[in-house]
Amino acid sequence: MTQFGTFVHAARRSLQAGDRRYSLRQVAKRISVEPSYLSKIERGQVAPPSEAATVRLAMELDQDPDVLLALGGKVSSDLQEVIRKRPRLFAQLIRELRDAPDHAVLRIVREVRDGDW
Amino acid sequence: MTQFGTFVHAARRSLQAGDRRYSLRQVAKRISVEPSYLSKIERGQVAPPSEAATVRLAMELDQDPDVLLALGGKVSSDLQEVIRKRPRLFAQLIRELRDAPDHAVLRIVREVRDGDW
DNA sequence: CGTCATGTGTCCTAAACACTACACACTCTC
DNA sequence: GAGAGTGTGTAGTGTTTAGGACACATGACG
């Protein structure tokens, strides 16, 4: 939960080191939230923001949106939509892969990408 | 949205035909919601219920919980958790499979189940 | 005929979610 | 030493979620 804030804070600080456009206030402004809100987010004083705000934040800080959403306890709604369209199929697949090692999942991703159906 | 209600109503009615324990009231009681609430759900007068209630309802009506959750616009939280634990990996996989035909996905499921990693 | 069960209408609500508004203290920098 | 910019504290707000309470009319049935 405070994972999210810590991560965001670290990412912003690291950018801020080399570019003063990454102050809390300026970042807040660019992602369209109040500075005080972003401050609270970074310090874990409030729950992670909505999906939309999280994605804007990820973009701004040059981070992977799916990772940031995950830290915020969420799953991108476009992924959810894919699952909802074929729930039995994807539910089965995902549960099957729950305990598979990364490299096994990756192998499948590559297999699929090389489009062999 | 009213897909959910229609589906539930149909499932319950079909069970009720052969067994009068499947009246709206009795089902409501067994899944621990107020009859008036279940009535509104079946007629799409309110949004689909929470994940927990949806799963109880699916069980009661002998339906696949993932399917019923999908009709309710939700994705089971245990699936979400799997994704959240390895967001990049699963996000990539799922997006890759978005447009894959069912049989291709099924083939992968079988492959994985035959545990070849 | 009484009563039991059925489905439904109306009203209400307690939390959670997702933020905004504004004031304050500190720092730097020109 | 004035102004600009920085981060933070307090308080409050609109919306959505997820239902509960209770009364009512209708119908079945013994």
Side-chain angles (χ1 to χ4, degrees):
Chain A
M1 321 280 164
T2 193
Q3 275 270 71
F4 186 90
T6 307
F7 183 88
V8 167
H9 183 71
R12 187 181 60 77
R13 285 246 116 203
S14 124
L15 286 171
Q16 191 181 21
D19 185 341
R20 69 188 189 297
R21 289 171 41 252
Y22 287 90
S23 76
L24 187 148
R25 269 170 188 274
Q26 295 194 37
V27 168
K29 178 148 214 179
R30 284 197 295 276
I31 66 168
S32 306
V33 302
E34 288 294 308
S36 65
Y37 186 42
L38 180 54
S39 170
K40 281 175 276 188
I41 287 171
E42 285 196 356
R43 288 168 302 124
Q45 273 203 12
V46 297
S50 67
E51 177 175 351
T54 300
V55 171
R56 291 199 304 275
L57 187 50
M59 287 310 161
E60 175 65 26
L61 300 181
D62 199 30
Q63 298 292 324
D64 185 323
D66 292 306
V67 170
L68 203 57
L69 284 169
L71 286 173
K74 307 190 199 268
V75 169
S76 173
S77 57
D78 75 294
L79 294 181
Q80 298 202 32
E81 205 192 316
V82 173
I83 297 172
R84 286 200 308 267
K85 282 192 179 155
R86 293 185 279 178
R88 267 177 306 241
L89 210 54
F90 277 93
Q92 202 186 344
L93 177 66
I94 292 168
R95 293 205 178 93
E96 213 83 63
L97 287 173
R98 177 171 35 208
D99 302 315
D102 287 13
H103 67 83
V105 182
L106 262 175
R107 220 196 54 208
I108 294 171
V109 170
R110 275 193 298 274
E111 239 177 84
V112 174
R113 199 187 40 234
D114 301 346
D116 50 348
W117 66 75
Chain B
M1 323 282 162
T2 194
Q3 275 269 70
F4 185 91
T6 308
F7 183 89
V8 167
H9 183 72
R12 187 181 60 77
R13 285 246 116 204
S14 126
L15 286 171
Q16 191 182 21
D19 184 341
R20 72 186 189 297
R21 288 171 42 254
Y22 287 91
S23 77
L24 186 149
R25 270 169 187 275
Q26 294 194 36
V27 168
K29 177 148 214 179
R30 284 195 297 276
I31 66 167
S32 306
V33 302
E34 289 294 308
S36 65
Y37 185 43
L38 181 54
S39 170
K40 280 175 275 187
I41 287 171
E42 285 196 357
R43 287 168 304 123
Q45 273 203 12
V46 298
S50 68
E51 176 174 349
T54 300
V55 170
R56 293 199 302 276
L57 187 51
M59 288 308 159
E60 176 64 27
L61 299 181
D62 199 30
Q63 298 293 323
D64 186 323
D66 292 305
V67 170
L68 203 56
L69 284 169
L71 287 173
K74 306 188 199 265
V75 170
S76 174
S77 57
D78 75 293
L79 295 181
Q80 299 202 32
E81 205 192 316
V82 173
I83 297 172
R84 285 200 309 267
K85 282 192 179 153
R86 294 185 279 178
R88 269 176 306 240
L89 211 54
F90 277 92
Q92 201 187 344
L93 177 66
I94 293 168
R95 293 206 178 92
E96 212 83 64
L97 287 172
R98 177 173 31 211
D99 301 316
D102 287 12
H103 68 82
V105 182
L106 262 174
R107 221 196 51 208
I108 293 172
V109 170
R110 275 193 297 273
E111 240 177 81
V112 174
R113 198 187 39 235
D114 301 347
D116 49 349
W117 65 76

